[in-house]
């Protein structure tokens, strides 16, 4: 059986270095907000090319706290509209509604799964104050066009980079395109902790200072509280582990790219639509968090692959506007998002897949017989 993602194997790669890091933390006697956190924050800011990195408890908090910080700084207010893709993971949208801001869902480009700048432009109203861009599945959204639009309309740009650590365009990485960016280090992400963790990157010092306080009860100085903050801290143990794994990230991304190229070259079935890398001949902007194909016969394909010993997952089966959590949107129609949610299927992807396993997935895909539409 080829697992969709073999986290155990991935974490074996850095096992010795992670054990050393854990021992260092255990023996230090200091477990929250210490040297390990600042070392990781510096390393990750440098990796992204930004001035600041603020570690938090998870990726959802990274997005929630950034929007909250902009409210504290007077840049956003209750009821302001924030544009967000209609096909994203629910976290991007929760971050907006939890801040009493209004999510405005915009359809993605069917080929790249990412926000389409023309559709964004059409959705801007007098109440729009920000765009929450999601670099879905590991591919950068069209940031040059989205930033130009944001500038034209005076909008803030928040990147949701939870799936795109290291994705870049012209050498500029995810996390360094917007006014701020939220990252998740959930274990299954390309850079994953051994538990929950997240971070915000930004070049805005005022925002960074606000976030350092918000994640720690709104406090800059011990026992003085500037804001109604929360407890959302990235602990020393996870920070130490992330510092180890960050060193292997580019090499692991390289392996993901090799696997993606092998899939792209090898899968040849009229019933399966392969992912597109946005018309760009180079794939530097894609870090292949997920390798997502489309098919009109998803259930049949998933069953066939399982019978061939290939595990697949669906990211994601239900679009946000059809969730019970957003009852008020259930009657709305987003045909592109709905079609994508009906058709997408994620093939096994990860740095520890062998060429033989990848070839087995390819053979299984190519032996899928498309049923005649009746
Ligand atoms: C994983 C993910 C998040 C949330 O990250 P957590 O660390 O699980 O809170 C947000 N947005 C996207 C697109 C994600 O994939």
């Amino acid at each position: 059986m080829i697992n969709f993602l073999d986290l155990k194997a991935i974490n074996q790669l850095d096992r010795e270095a992670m054990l050393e890091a854990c021992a260092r933390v255990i023996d230090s006697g200091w477990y929250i907000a210490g040297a390990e956190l600042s070392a990781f924050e510096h390393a990750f800011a440098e990796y992204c090319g930004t001035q600041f990195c603020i570690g938090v408890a998870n990726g959802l908090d990274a997005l929630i706290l950034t929007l909250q910080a902009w409210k504290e700084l007077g840049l956003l207010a209750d009821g302001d509209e924030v544009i967000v893709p209609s096909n994203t993971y629910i976290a991007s949208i929760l971050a907006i509604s939890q801040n009493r801001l209004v999510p405005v869902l915009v359809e993605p480009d069917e080929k790249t799964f990412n926000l389409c700048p023309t559709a964004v432009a059409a959705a801007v109203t007098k109440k729009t104050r920000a765009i929450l861009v999601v670099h879905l599945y590991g591919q950068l959204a069209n940031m040059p066009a989205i930033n130009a639009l944001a500038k034209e309309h005076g909008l803030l740009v928040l990147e949701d980079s939870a799936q795109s650590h290291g994705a870049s365009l012209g050498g500029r990485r995810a996390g360094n395109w917007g006014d701020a960016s939220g990252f998740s280090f959930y274990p299954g992400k390309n850079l994953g902790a051994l538990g929950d963790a997240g971070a915000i990157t930004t070049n805005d010092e005022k925002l960074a200072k606000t976030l350092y306080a918000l994640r720690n009860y709104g406090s800059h100085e011990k026992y003085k509280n500037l804001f109604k903050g929360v407890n959302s801290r990235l602990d020393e143990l996870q920070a130490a582990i992330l510092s180890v794994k960050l060193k292997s990230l580019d090499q692991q991304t390289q392996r993901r790219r090799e696997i993606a190229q092998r899939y792209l070259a090898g899968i040849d079935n009229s019933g399966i639509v392969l992912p597109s890398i946005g018309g760009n001949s180079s794939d530097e902007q894609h870090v292949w968090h997920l390798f997502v194909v489309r098919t009109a016969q998803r259930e049949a394909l998933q069953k066939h692959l399982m019978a061939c010993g290939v595990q697949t997952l669906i990211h994601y089966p239900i679009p946000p506007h059809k969730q019970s959590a957003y009852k008020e949107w259930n009657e709305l129609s987003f045909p592109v998002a709905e079609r994508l949610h009906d058709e997408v299927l994620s093939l096994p992807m990860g740095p520890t897949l062998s060429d033989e396993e990848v070839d087995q997935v390819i053979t299984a895909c190519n032996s899928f017989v498309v049923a005649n539409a009746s």
Side-chain angles (χ1 to χ4, degrees):
M1 169 83 154
I2 300 173
N3 289 318
F4 171 73
L5 179 69
D6 192 344
L7 273 182
K8 192 171 159 181
I10 290 173
N11 283 318
Q12 289 300 313
L13 298 174
D14 289 312
R15 186 172 188 276
E16 290 310 313
M18 285 197 287
L19 283 174
E20 264 170 47
C22 289
R24 191 171 69 232
V25 174
I26 292 167
D27 296 343
S28 74
W30 193 277
Y31 307 110
I32 293 274
E36 298 289 348
L37 176 62
S38 42
F40 174 69
E41 287 175 335
H42 279 108
F44 196 66
E46 191 179 304
Y47 182 82
C48 295
T50 59
Q51 263 179 283
F52 305 97
C53 168
I54 304 96
V56 293
N58 55 64
L60 175 59
D61 279 2
L63 300 173
I64 291 179
L65 293 177
T66 303
L67 294 171
Q68 188 187 340
W70 280 334
K71 290 179 82 178
E72 301 288 358
L73 291 167
L75 300 173
L76 290 178
D78 285 7
D80 284 349
E81 291 180 0
V82 180
I83 288 172
V84 65
S86 55
N87 63 324
T88 183
Y89 179 59
I90 196 89
S92 327
I93 295 173
L94 287 173
I96 300 169
S97 46
Q98 289 202 10
N99 271 294
R100 295 182 304 280
L101 300 163
V102 179
V104 173
L105 305 185
V106 168
E107 292 268 65
D109 175 300
E110 206 163 31
K111 288 213 175 72
T112 62
F113 306 111
N114 274 330
L115 267 184
C116 162
T118 346
V120 173
V124 174
T125 72
K126 276 186 304 225
K127 288 180 146 185
T128 312
R129 292 288 176 272
I131 306 172
L132 202 168
V133 196
V134 183
H135 306 309
L136 203 66
Y137 306 150
Q139 178 162 235
L140 273 189
N142 185 344
M143 292 312 292
I146 286 167
N147 278 354
L149 256 174
K151 199 166 173 200
E152 183 188 336
H153 297 281
L155 310 176
L156 293 161
V157 175
L158 173 56
E159 302 171 73
D160 180 341
S161 305
Q163 303 190 358
S164 291
H165 318 75
S168 69
L169 184 61
R172 187 170 170 189
R173 281 183 162 149
N176 190 21
W177 284 91
D179 296 289
S181 174
F183 284 89
S184 164
F185 307 118
Y186 178 80
K189 307 287 172 159
N190 286 23
L191 178 59
L194 303 184
D196 274 315
I200 301 117
T201 55
T202 182
N203 290 307
D204 179 343
E205 187 172 5
K206 259 195 200 151
L207 174 67
K209 284 192 166 157
T210 307
L211 285 165
Y212 287 127
L214 279 179
R215 71 169 177 191
N216 188 31
Y217 299 106
S219 169
H220 269 281
E221 263 176 74
K222 206 163 190 184
Y223 306 127
K224 284 191 182 168
N225 300 81
L226 281 174
F227 312 108
K228 297 185 184 83
V230 297
N231 174 353
S232 181
R233 298 181 295 221
L234 203 179
D235 63 73
E236 291 288 283
L237 206 52
Q238 297 302 341
I241 282 160
L242 286 167
S243 290
V244 169
K245 292 187 74 177
L246 179 59
K247 294 194 185 103
S248 318
L249 179 60
D250 284 345
Q251 200 185 340
Q252 295 191 5
T253 299
Q254 190 46 41
R255 179 61 192 151
R256 287 174 184 271
R257 287 185 175 140
E258 286 167 17
I259 293 165
Q261 290 310 322
R262 216 173 167 91
Y263 279 152
L264 288 170
I267 298 174
D268 184 11
N269 186 319
S270 60
I272 300 175
V273 182
L274 293 169
S276 131
I277 48 175
N280 192 321
S281 57
S282 126
D283 72 349
E284 64 166 336
Q285 79 276 38
H286 212 319
V287 294
W288 301 103
H289 173 57
L290 298 171
F291 190 94
V292 178
V293 301
R294 288 170 53 197
T295 170
Q297 299 176 17
R298 182 170 62 193
E299 221 187 305
L301 177 60
Q302 192 168 31
K303 259 196 199 152
H304 168 80
L305 292 176
M306 187 50 92
C308 298
V310 176
Q311 186 192 27
T312 55
L313 291 181
I314 297 168
H315 299 91
Y316 300 92
I318 305 172
H321 71 281
K322 294 291 184 192
Q323 298 283 358
S324 304
Y326 287 104
K327 277 190 206 67
E328 62 276 28
W329 296 342
N330 286 177
E331 300 309 315
L332 298 180
S333 163
F334 293 97
V336 180
E338 285 162 29
R339 190 161 59 245
L340 290 177
H341 284 80
D342 284 342
E343 295 187 348
V344 291
L345 188 66
S346 307
L347 301 185
M349 172 54 82
T352 59
L353 275 180
S354 68
D355 284 351
E356 292 69 32
E357 288 173 314
V358 175
D359 289 345
Q360 198 181 319
V361 176
I362 293 170
T363 307
C365 286
N366 290 347
S367 66
F368 175 60
V369 180
V370 185
N372 286 325
S374 53

